[in-house]
Amino acid sequence: MIKHCLFPAAGYGTRFLPATKSMPKEMMPIVNKPLIEYGVDEAIQAGMSSMAVVTGRGKSSLMDHFDKNYELEHQIQGTNKEPLLDDIRSLIDSAQYTFIRQREMKGLGHAILTGKELVGDNPFAVVLADDLCISEQEGVLAQMAALYRQFRCSIVAVEEVPESETHKYGVIAGEHLSDDLIRITDMVEKPEQGTAPSNLAIIGRYILTPDIFDILQDTKPGKGGEIQITDALLEQAKSGCVIAYKFKGKRFDCGSVEGYIEATNYCYQNVYLKGSKVKIDRSSTKKV
Ligand code: UTP
C-alpha cells in the first residue's frame, strides 16, 4: 500500500507569467478548484493519506488552502454557500499535509530529493499538479498503485505525443511487456527534434521506490543545468525495475496556456456541470 504522495510545487511557472509572479501555478483554478486540489483528490482516491508538498518562496497559499479559514467559515456557516466548502473540507479531513521548502530551484529531481524528509524510506507517488489527469473510471494514480503492487518497481505514466512535441518531454524506450506496459531501457530528457527514442512521453505521475533518493543524491545537473528525475530514473532502470505505463484517461498540460484553456472547457462541461452534487445560488450570502 502506498501512503505518501509528493507534490513538487516549487517551480517558477514562467510559462504563465505574469499570473504566476506572486501566485503558485498549482493554485490556479480549473473552473472553481485549484489544480493542486484535483491532484490531492486523485491521490486520496488511490488510497494515499499523507500529502507531502515541496513549496518555495511565495507559495504559502498552498499551505493555507489545506488548513481551516475560521473567519470565512464562520461567515458562511449555515448559509446556502457552506456546501461549496464540502469538497475541500473532505480532502482536509482525509489526509495529513506536510510541507517542506526547496530553497533553490535546481530542478524536478532536486525537488523530489528535498521531499525525502517527508516520505522517508517508503515507496511514494509523485504528482505534478499542472498535469491534470481526468479518468472516467479509476484515477491514474490508482491505476499505477495497482501496477506497483504487481511489479514492486518504479512506475512512470506515459502518453503518445506527436513527434513534433517530443522535445518538450522526457521520452522513453524499452521492451514491451504488453500493449500498455514497457520495461524501460532508455530515457532522454527533452530530446533534440528528430532524435527521440520513441513518441512515448513521461507525464506528471510517478510511483517511485525509495532507492531513487540515493541515485538522486549522486545525479549531476543535466538538461538546462537542472537535476533531472529522468536521469535518475535511467540509472534506476539499469536494474530492470522501471516500468512505463500508458495510462487510461485524459491529460491536460495546464502549465501551458493552451492546455489550461482546454482543461477549463473540458472540466466545465464534463466535471463541474455533471458532477455538482449541490446546486447553489452563488448570488446570495443571506443566511437560510
Ligand atoms: P516545470 O518544468 O513545469 O517548471 O516543472 P515550472 O517552473 O513549474 O514551469 P515553467 O516551465 O517555468 O512554466 C515541473 C514540476 O516540477 C516542479 C514544478 O513546480 C512543477 O510541478 N519543480 C520544478 C520544482 O518543484 N522545483 C524545481 O526546481 C523545478
Side-chain angles (χ1 to χ4, degrees), residues 7-17 20 25-26 54-55 59 102 104-112 127-131 189-190 226 253 255-256:
F7 295 84
Y12 291 120
T14 53
R15 283 170 293 164
F16 247 104
L17 284 169
T20 46
K25 173 167 72 173
E26 295 74 13
V54 180
T55 67
K59 301 250 182 179
Q102 186 189 15
E104 289 174 277
M105 307 326 158
K106 293 187 187 169
L108 175 58
H110 182 259
I112 292 174
V127 168
L128 306 187
D130 57 343
D131 264 346
E189 180 63 26
K190 300 193 175 72
E226 296 190 333
D253 173 13
S256 74

Side-chain angles (χ1 to χ4, degrees), residues 96-279:
Q96 295 284 340
Y97 294 82
T98 54
F99 300 85
I100 193 164
R101 272 204 188 198
Q102 186 189 15
R103 285 193 294 273
E104 289 174 277
M105 307 326 158
K106 293 187 187 169
L108 175 58
H110 182 259
I112 292 174
L113 184 57
T114 304
K116 180 182 176 187
E117 296 303 317
L118 303 181
V119 303
D121 193 22
N122 300 294
F124 60 101
V126 175
V127 168
L128 306 187
D130 57 343
D131 264 346
L132 175 63
C133 291
I134 307 278
S135 173
E136 298 219 330
Q137 281 135 32
E138 222 180 14
V140 175
L141 270 192
Q143 297 168 35
M144 294 171 74
L147 287 172
Y148 172 77
R149 286 194 289 276
Q150 187 184 342
F151 290 98
R152 304 276 155 176
C153 286
S154 287
I155 314 282
V156 300
V158 293
E159 90 176 350
E160 288 178 12
V161 297
E163 205 175 321
S164 57
E165 300 273 298
T166 50
H167 66 284
K168 297 181 184 168
Y169 297 91
V171 181
I172 65 112
E175 168 205 349
H176 277 259
L177 304 176
S178 65
D179 278 353
D180 54 7
L181 292 176
I182 302 114
R183 192 181 296 282
I184 293 179
T185 54
D186 193 13
M187 214 180 302
V188 187
E189 180 63 26
K190 300 193 175 72
E192 303 294 326
Q193 204 99 44
T195 66
S198 76
N199 67 341
L200 290 173
I202 303 176
I203 63 119
R205 297 290 181 280
Y206 307 74
I207 287 181
L208 301 176
T209 51
D211 54 310
I212 198 74
F213 291 128
D214 284 343
I215 300 173
L216 278 169
Q217 200 87 55
D218 293 335
T219 302
K220 303 269 173 294
K223 199 92 186 184
E226 296 190 333
I227 297 176
Q228 299 288 353
I229 186 64
T230 313
D231 295 339
L233 279 167
L234 183 57
E235 184 59 32
Q236 198 181 40
K238 287 183 182 161
S239 66
C241 207
V242 182
I243 292 183
Y245 168 56
K246 284 199 231 171
F247 65 95
K248 294 179 184 63
K250 280 177 98 56
R251 194 254 339 177
F252 299 93
D253 173 13
C254 297
S256 74
V257 173
E258 296 71 21
Y260 180 81
I261 299 297
E262 208 189 318
T264 302
N265 290 333
Y266 182 88
C267 288
Y268 179 67
Q269 291 298 337
N270 297 285
V271 181
Y272 179 78
L273 288 183
K274 286 189 188 159
S276 274
K277 287 171 282 184
V278 275
K279 294 281 171 241

Side-chain angles (χ1 to χ4, degrees), residues 67-105:
D67 196 358
K68 279 194 180 295
N69 178 341
Y70 284 105
E71 203 176 313
L72 167 77
E73 297 190 30
H74 174 75
Q75 189 71 25
I76 67 168
Q77 195 178 1
T79 72
N80 61 357
K81 297 230 166 136
E82 197 174 2
L84 290 170
L85 290 177
D86 283 354
D87 286 357
I88 182 64
R89 280 176 169 167
S90 155
L91 293 190
I92 291 172
D93 290 343
S94 305
Q96 295 284 340
Y97 294 82
T98 54
F99 300 85
I100 193 164
R101 272 204 188 198
Q102 186 189 15
R103 285 193 294 273
E104 289 174 277
M105 307 326 158

